[in-house]
Amino acid sequence: MNAMNDLKTDHTNAAWHQRRLDATPRGVGVMGDFFIDHAKNAELWDIEGRRFIDFAGGIAVLNTGHVHPKVQAAIAAQLQRFTHSCYQVVPYAEYVSLAERINAIVPIEGKAKTAFFSTGAEAIENAIKIARSSTGRSGVIAFGGAFHGRSLFAVSLTGKVQPYKAGFGPFPPEIYHVPFPAEGASLDETKRAMDHVFKCDIEPSRVAAIVFEPVQGEGGFNPIQKDAVLWLRALCDQHGILLIADEVQTGFARTGRMFAMEHYGVSPDLMTMAKSMAGGTTLSAVSGKAAIMDGPAPGGLGGTYAGNPLAIAASHAVLDVMAEEKLPERAQRLGDQLVAHLRAAKAKYPRIGEVRGLGAMVACEFVDAAGAPDADTTKQVQAAALKRGLLLLTCGVYGNVIRYLFPLTIEDSVFAEALGVLDAAMAETLA
Ligand SMILES: Cc1ncc(COP(=O)(O)O)c(C=O)c1O
């Protein structure tokens, strides 16, 4: 069949939805029943011409918006030169200069080095490999509610069974989970669980790394307690364990700083990043203390597509845009505005639970009359917003949290319009 004729004859959302069900496995779950045609900054249009305001950002990837002109120009310019050589075969200077730029801004004490990969999960996998190779130890400790990706080791670190882990075991040995010390939770409980792991499962001298998200993303936009970060750093120093901050979702201006760890004044040993670092192209990275990063022998790190030239070019442009448009400051201002808006709504609607966040990494919970997590109401608010053209994402271990991942470059008028839509969706669902 001729693909173009095919598109012209039945290019509707309903037709593609049916074809998707037939051609792709159900495991690749899809939230929307409409198909994107094009997008610009914080807006996207489906193949039937309907406009949406995008507060999902392709799951935290579009801090610089859809098709930022500078990112687009950087990719277009790179496209004229070459698209692939495999960095490990024929290197390119822009990979090195991007590593230099990232090394200069990561909140890591002393000399840093950076290696590039393609996805967040791949960055996590490699951070663990680097930690194991440089410490000669095997154990890894992660947190309940964490999300570190879907590849087999990353999903083993993930602390949420449904839908990520169910049916995919057995998982690699020597991974342990302890409760996440979110703001408002008990740090003592985490400390007790860590003691338990050290007494019953593995001696600290065999633990290579503790990996955590400064603000849990999929887990519900829970910022970690500052005291917990200080405690983790001290615990790692005491036992020679490496502290890995997973900044895949928090990085690149979302929290009001380039990296969330800047809020805590604590230096991790290794950091993972991805998502908004390359404006929608596929790029991730591991940065870390130089001596640790040099643990694996030549050939131990990399990948055919790791640090793809188009994505590296895009990432250079993203860093320029973030500085020129002062996106960390803008994230803080828009985040403050959204938090104030949600708190005003909470005063009206008791079904809105906690409103929380760091910078523009903002979320609110929905609860039932008894104050318990209410996933159904959350879905209803999401659906009511979508009906009015506002794309929202849910998250949280109980599925009762809506997170707001608008581009930080969003026009003020579109941001105000989106808040109006949100008000209408809440009024329909919660009043
Ligand atoms: C904190 C964190 N780590 C890792 C990942 C995995 O990234 P990817 O989906 O690019 O593999 C995600 C994705 O949502 C994430 O939020």
Side-chain angles (χ1 to χ4, degrees):
M1 195 189 310
N2 178 309
M4 285 316 288
N5 287 343
D6 176 34
L7 286 180
K8 276 183 192 146
T9 50
D10 202 2
H11 195 43
T12 61
N13 288 319
W16 282 110
H17 177 67
Q18 277 313 315
R19 290 172 65 169
R20 176 179 78 75
L21 295 178
D22 189 48
T24 67
R26 64 181 189 147
V28 186
V30 169
M31 189 188 89
D33 57 3
F34 53 94
F35 288 73
I36 185 168
D37 181 76
H38 65 282
K40 189 164 181 358
N41 201 6
E43 296 162 278
L44 67 83
W45 288 263
D46 76 5
I47 56 175
E48 295 177 6
R50 190 163 171 224
R51 167 187 176 258
F52 295 84
I53 300 177
D54 187 359
F55 265 39
I59 319 188
V61 169
L62 297 166
N63 289 356
T64 50
H66 286 280
V67 209
H68 191 289
K70 291 203 167 153
V71 177
Q72 186 184 37
I75 296 170
Q78 180 60 42
L79 202 49
Q80 302 304 314
R81 296 175 55 220
F82 61 96
T83 58
H84 182 77
S85 63
C86 185
Y87 178 76
Q88 293 131 265
V89 179
V90 183
Y92 25 98
E94 293 81 1
Y95 180 117
V96 178
S97 58
L98 186 64
E100 288 169 348
R101 290 181 79 177
I102 303 268
N103 293 341
I105 59 170
V106 283
I108 289 174
E109 230 168 54
K111 182 174 167 51
K113 288 192 174 185
T114 294
F116 296 105
F117 303 96
S118 300
T119 66
E122 213 187 337
I124 283 288
E125 300 269 344
N126 280 281
I128 301 299
K129 282 168 62 182
I130 293 165
R132 282 185 164 175
S133 146
S134 70
T135 59
R137 303 173 178 194
S138 51
V140 185
I141 296 173
F143 291 90
F147 185 81
H148 296 295
R150 287 183 168 85
S151 57
L152 197 54
F153 203 95
V155 86
S156 310
L157 290 172
T158 289
K160 188 176 174 191
V161 171
Q162 294 290 356
Y164 306 120
K165 300 173 88 154
F168 296 131
F171 300 106
E174 306 227 297
I175 294 173
Y176 308 95
H177 286 90
V178 295
F180 184 67
E183 269 173 14
S186 156
L187 178 54
D188 282 345
E189 198 188 326
T190 307
K191 289 182 177 175
R192 273 196 299 276
M194 193 72 82
D195 263 0
H196 185 85
V197 167
F198 288 160
K199 279 200 177 64
C200 304
D201 297 316
I202 186 168
E203 65 275 34
S205 60
R206 280 207 305 114
V207 176
I210 298 178
V211 54
F212 77 106
E213 296 158 87
V215 182
Q216 282 195 335
E218 300 296 312
F221 277 31
N222 302 305
I224 193 170
Q225 293 170 31
K226 186 160 188 177
D227 281 356
V229 185
L230 296 170
W231 167 71
L232 282 172
R233 181 68 273 174
L235 185 77
C236 286
D237 289 344
Q238 182 188 349
H239 297 293
I241 298 169
L242 301 183
L243 186 61
I244 304 177
D246 180 354
E247 291 242 22
V248 165
Q249 192 155 165
T250 50
F252 294 91
R254 175 55 52 184
T255 69
R257 306 279 176 89
M258 278 304 275
F259 296 102
M261 285 305 286
E262 294 170 43
H263 290 282
Y264 297 95
V266 168
S267 168
D269 299 297
L270 292 166
M271 274 175 64
T272 51
M273 59 198 86
K275 291 196 183 272
S276 275
M277 77 181 294
T281 60
T282 315
L283 189 68
S284 66
V286 180
S287 296
K289 293 182 176 159
I292 295 168
M293 290 295 292
D294 276 330
L301 301 177
T304 307
Y305 300 105
N308 171 267
L310 294 171
I312 294 274
S315 190
H316 274 289
V318 162
L319 289 180
D320 294 342
V321 168
M322 289 198 163
E324 285 162 17
E325 300 186 22
K326 298 189 170 49
L327 292 190
E329 291 88 332
R330 193 165 160 71
Q332 192 61 56
R333 179 167 74 72
L334 293 175
D336 288 347
Q337 242 174 284
L338 179 56
V339 166
H341 198 86
L342 291 169
R343 295 218 164 114
K346 178 178 159 67
K348 253 193 339 205
Y349 306 121
R351 307 290 285 270
I352 299 181
E354 193 184 18
V355 175
R356 58 176 174 252
L358 199 58
M361 196 158 175
V362 173
C364 70
E365 288 183 344
F366 294 88
V367 292
D368 64 16
D374 186 346
D376 286 344
T377 298
T378 312
K379 280 198 202 88
Q380 283 164 23
V381 174
Q382 184 188 32
L386 188 61
K387 195 171 70 182
R388 292 169 172 82
L390 175 64
L391 204 50
L392 297 175
L393 289 179
T394 60
C395 62
V397 176
Y398 304 104
N400 72 317
V401 180
I402 288 184
R403 52 179 157 171
Y404 304 89
L405 285 166
F406 49 86
L408 304 175
T409 48
I410 188 170
E411 297 86 351
D412 285 342
S413 59
V414 178
F415 190 66
E417 185 188 344
L419 296 193
V421 173
L422 185 61
D423 287 344
M426 289 192 186
E428 178 188 317
T429 318
L430 306 175

